[in-house]
């Protein structure tokens, strides 16, 4: 009897199979390492009594929180293509100048009772009527769940975290990585005696080891009183999420900080919306507003203000002095990194708004703000006419042709 012989696998086919196997193994290994690196930073989801309280909120829409106005979602393919295409001057050629600070700089009470120090991006140290507040602290190297990948800082933190003065509370606006930074939360430890956060965000903090007794979760218009200081959670037009599968699972907010003598407003992240006027009417006028001016684009017009709409919001809020935030620290958009302050200067001058544009680490006394001096390099930028950012679903008849400035 003759035996049936199986043809031998050709050598080139074996090599391809081995190569594909090795490639798949390498990809799985790299993916596993990246996932392990990011796992802790992604946080966790709310459950139990926390989730039940969230569902009782008027902002809850069944599957997550909803905005006060309809949103235009960006076309994912177009936004991705534009992002990959990149833009000019999105990052500085060398680290921007900073003003290095230490705890001793904050030992004496500020003249007049109000001092605001920009520590980069949306991290503000607010000294108000004997209290010291810290907003959206990020000392981490990257705005990302990964220690290897993601937008990297342009400059070092101007104030070392261990040099922070004694804090009254830390205010968080929402759970995006550039506002809720895991390494910073873990490093703050007892330096943060109390966290005030929007609904659902407390689950992340507890997951990272923060004592639940130090966490207060709030809905819009909730107030927390601390020794004569009122901290009011106010509406915003944005979204939340840390994993790609948890969009709007936690609330986002802005903050009004109201002392016996002074009051300031911090927007967190937001697009332009009608709510600014209500906030200004109910809680203003504000000695200072801290409004985001970076990471804007018409593709995502409803989640970030841009300089011109920030000036408009300042008027709605009845603000005296405006300080720009959310720019100059991370590359999170398509515009040149120096574009926000250039457009802000023009918009503020046009509308007669007093604006202070500190360098990272610089303090501002709203009662006597410094003149605007360009500390960033002169570079080509797009103007508001060339790259406008205008939020959707605005009733121009209701808003009027121009915001009233105070």
């Amino acid at each position: 009897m003759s035996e049936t012989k199986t043809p031998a696998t050709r050598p080139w086919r074996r090599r391809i199979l081995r190569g594909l196997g090795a490639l798949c193994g390498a990809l799985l290994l790299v993916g596993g390492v990246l996932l392990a690196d990011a796992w802790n930073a992604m946080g966790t989801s709310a459950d139990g009594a926390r989730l039940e309280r969230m569902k009782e909120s008027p902002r809850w829409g069944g599957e997550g929180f909803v905005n006060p106005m309809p949103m235009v979602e960006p076309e994912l393919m177009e936004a991705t293509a534009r992002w990959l295409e990149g833009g000019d001057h999105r990052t500085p050629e060398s680290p921007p100048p900073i003003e290095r600070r230490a705890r001793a700089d904050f030992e004496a009470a500020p003249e007049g009772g109000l001092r605001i120090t920009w520590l980069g991006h949306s991290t503000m140290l607010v000294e108000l009527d004997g209290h010291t507040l810290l907003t959206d602290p990020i000392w981490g190297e990257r705005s990302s769940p990964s220690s290897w990948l993601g937008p990297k800082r342009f400059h070092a933190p101007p104030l070392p975290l261990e040099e922070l003065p004694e804090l009254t509370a830390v205010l968080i606006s929402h759970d995006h990585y550039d506002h809720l930074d895991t390494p910073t939360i873990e490093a703050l430890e007892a330096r943060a005696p109390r966290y005030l956060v929007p609904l659902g965000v407390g689950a992340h903090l507890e997951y990272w080891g923060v004592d639940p007794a130090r966490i207060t979760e709030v809905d819009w218009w909730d107030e927390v009183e601390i020794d004569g200081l009122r901290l009011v959670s106010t509406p915003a037009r944005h979204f939340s999420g840390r994993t790609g599968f948890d969009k709007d699972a936690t609330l986002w907010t802005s903050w009004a900080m109201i002392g016996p003598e002074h009051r300031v407003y911090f927007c967190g992240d937001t697009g332009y919306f009608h709510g600014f006027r209500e906030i200004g009417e109910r809680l203003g006028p504000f000695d200072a507003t801290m409004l985001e001016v970076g990471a804007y684009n018409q593709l995502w017009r409803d989640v970030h203000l841009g300089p011109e709409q920030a000036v408009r919001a300042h008027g709605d809020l009845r603000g005296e002095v405006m300080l720009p935030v959310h720019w100059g620290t991370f590359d999170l958009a398509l515009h040149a990194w120096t574009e926000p302050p250039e457009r802000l200067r023009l918009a503020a001058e046009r509308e007669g708004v007093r604006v202070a544009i500190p360098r990272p680490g610089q303090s501002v006394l709203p009662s006597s703000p410094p003149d605007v001096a360009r500390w960033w390099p002169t570079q080509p930028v797009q103007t508001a006419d060339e790259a406008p950012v205008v939020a959707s679903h605005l009733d121009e008849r209701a808003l009027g042709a121009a915001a009233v400035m105070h």
Side-chain angles (χ1 to χ4, degrees):
M1 295 178 62
S2 61
E3 296 181 0
T4 302
K5 295 183 179 180
T6 302
T9 303
R10 295 174 181 174
W12 63 267
R13 190 173 297 171
R14 286 200 300 270
R15 287 196 293 271
I16 291 176
L17 291 174
R18 289 196 191 107
L20 288 174
L23 178 61
C24 290
L27 290 174
L28 286 172
L29 178 61
V30 170
V33 170
L34 290 175
L35 183 60
D37 179 48
W39 188 265
N40 181 56
M42 289 190 290
T44 192
S45 57
D47 58 13
R50 172 178 280 116
L51 181 59
E52 291 306 311
R53 183 191 172 198
M54 292 161 60
K55 290 180 178 180
E56 293 173 358
S57 167
R59 263 55 66 180
W60 186 261
E63 298 297 326
F65 290 99
V66 295
N67 270 290
M69 290 173 59
M71 305 277 282
V72 172
E73 297 292 337
E75 292 291 337
L76 184 60
M77 294 299 293
E78 182 181 0
T80 302
R82 290 282 305 279
W83 185 269
L84 293 175
E85 179 184 337
D88 296 329
H89 308 294
R90 284 171 54 176
T91 60
E93 295 180 359
S94 58
I98 65 174
E99 189 170 322
R100 298 192 179 276
R101 309 302 297 271
R103 182 185 292 112
D105 298 335
F106 304 98
E107 289 179 352
E111 180 182 347
L114 177 61
R115 178 169 57 200
I116 302 174
T117 305
W118 186 43
L119 299 178
H121 202 55
S122 298
T123 303
M124 313 295 288
L125 191 68
V126 180
E127 299 166 273
L128 187 151
D129 296 344
H131 295 274
T132 303
L133 303 158
L134 185 66
T135 68
D136 289 353
I138 178 166
W139 266 257
E141 186 66 18
R142 295 183 183 275
S143 170
S144 166
S146 171
S147 59
W148 298 355
L149 301 172
K152 193 174 182 179
R153 299 185 70 96
F154 297 165
H155 59 81
L159 175 69
L161 191 142
E162 60 272 14
E163 289 290 310
L164 273 171
E166 184 177 348
L167 299 175
T168 302
V170 175
L171 308 183
I172 302 295
S173 65
H174 63 298
D175 71 0
H176 286 160
Y177 290 101
D178 57 323
H179 296 261
L180 183 63
D181 181 51
T182 310
T184 300
I185 298 299
E186 293 178 335
L188 276 171
E189 297 181 332
R191 295 183 184 89
R194 191 164 182 179
Y195 285 94
L196 273 60
V197 303
L199 291 174
V201 174
H204 296 310
L205 299 183
E206 288 186 30
Y207 183 71
W208 299 325
V210 177
D211 184 349
R214 292 159 52 201
I215 303 169
T216 301
E217 294 187 42
V218 292
D219 202 344
W220 293 346
W221 301 115
D222 285 350
E223 295 192 20
V224 177
E225 194 272 336
I226 304 176
D227 296 331
L229 174 69
R230 294 169 59 203
L231 300 170
V232 187
S233 167
T234 46
R237 189 185 192 189
H238 200 56
F239 67 108
S240 65
R242 292 177 76 84
T243 67
F245 302 99
D246 59 345
K247 186 175 185 297
D248 301 338
T250 62
L251 187 60
W252 46 96
T253 194
S254 56
W255 288 100
M257 308 166 218
I258 303 172
E261 302 294 333
H262 299 91
R263 55 187 65 203
V264 301
Y265 172 83
F266 171 71
C267 77
D269 271 1
T270 183
Y272 187 84
F273 73 120
H274 300 309
F276 287 121
R277 283 198 169 182
E278 182 181 6
I279 295 169
E281 290 167 358
R282 292 176 61 166
L283 301 175
F286 293 99
D287 297 279
T289 66
M290 295 163 275
L291 292 163
E292 55 136 287
V293 299
Y296 52 84
N297 191 281
Q298 188 64 5
L299 288 173
W300 48 89
R301 71 197 76 171
D302 290 336
V303 297
H304 287 299
L305 285 169
E308 296 77 26
Q309 292 188 131
V311 169
R312 189 176 190 178
H314 174 82
D316 293 347
L317 292 160
R318 300 195 291 155
E320 289 291 338
V321 179
M322 175 185 162
L323 282 76
V325 302
H326 203 265
W327 79 280
T329 304
F330 297 103
D331 175 20
L332 300 175
L334 305 175
H335 56 68
W337 80 274
T338 58
E339 187 175 294
E342 297 290 0
R343 288 174 55 162
L344 174 61
R345 292 172 72 230
L346 293 175
E349 181 179 353
R350 183 174 60 248
E351 299 295 341
V353 167
R354 285 200 300 169
V355 63
I357 309 180
R359 68 182 64 195
Q362 184 179 355
S363 296
V364 172
L365 298 176
S367 59
S368 55
D371 293 334
V372 174
R374 183 188 281 107
W375 54 264
W376 56 91
T378 301
Q379 295 175 327
V381 300
Q382 290 187 301
T383 66
D385 290 332
E386 294 169 330
V389 179
V390 181
S392 71
H393 297 90
L394 299 181
D395 182 353
E396 292 298 331
R397 291 172 300 175
L399 288 172
V404 178
M405 303 299 169
H406 293 270

